[in-house]
Structure formats: C-alpha cells, structure tokens
Amino acid sequence: GKVFLVKGDLSTIVSDLNERGLKDLYIDGGVTIQSFLKEDLIDEMIITTIPILLGGGSPLFGELTSHLQFELKNSETHLGQIVQSQFVRNR
C-alpha cells in the first residue's frame, strides 16, 4: 500500500502527492531523474557511488536548460569503498 504508479504532468503529480501529505518522494532511474531535474522538482539528492564499472546505460543527469546548484550536506563511506553523498538544492 506504500508503492503505486502515477502518470501525467510531473508538476501536477508532485503537487497532488504533496496535497495528500506525501512530501518525501523516491525518484529513481536515469530518464526519470532527468525529467524531474528538467522541471526543477528535485530538492535533495542522495547519490551512491559503488566502484564497479558496468558500462553502457543512460547518463544520470543528461542535458539541462540551466544550471542547478546543489550543496553537499553529508557524505559517508560504507564498507570502506561505497560512498553515499547527500546534496540539497540551493534556490
């Protein structure tokens, strides 16, 4: 009951979810993340880097029409090699 699919205009979707009390949304997947970034709908990012090169795939950020500035809030290392960094959007 905590996971469901939605479709439509991103700004409208986020607004509707916020009105329903859903403020912390988990956005994942290269193309999906790019779509939310293009609409400037990301307030916080947690990026996890694992030192294994897979090759291929979609770029995480893609092309943006303007610069989006984020500030590093926290960075942690797990198991001596996995780095997880938390960034907050500067508006």
Side-chain angles (χ1 to χ4, degrees), residues 29-39 42 45 47 57-68 70:
V31 175
T32 304
I33 291 169
Q34 290 174 18
S35 297
F36 275 80
L37 285 169
K38 285 180 185 174
E39 299 281 332
I42 302 288
M45 292 190 294
I47 299 176
S58 299
L60 180 58
F61 302 113
E63 294 292 324
L64 296 172
T65 56
S66 62
H67 295 292
L68 302 178
F70 286 81

Side-chain angles (χ1 to χ4, degrees), residues 12-79:
T12 303
I13 290 169
V14 170
S15 179
D16 290 347
L17 292 172
N18 289 166
E19 286 177 15
R20 292 165 65 187
L22 302 169
K23 305 285 185 188
D24 296 324
L25 308 175
Y26 178 80
I27 312 301
D28 199 356
V31 175
T32 304
I33 291 169
Q34 290 174 18
S35 297
F36 275 80
L37 285 169
K38 285 180 185 174
E39 299 281 332
D40 197 8
L41 294 171
I42 302 288
D43 295 321
E44 181 178 330
M45 292 190 294
I46 298 175
I47 299 176
T48 304
T49 306
I50 301 170
I52 298 172
L53 301 178
L54 301 175
S58 299
L60 180 58
F61 302 113
E63 294 292 324
L64 296 172
T65 56
S66 62
H67 295 292
L68 302 178
Q69 294 184 0
F70 286 81
E71 182 177 322
L72 178 65
K73 184 175 178 183
N74 185 39
S75 188
E76 297 178 350
T77 302
H78 303 279
L79 304 173

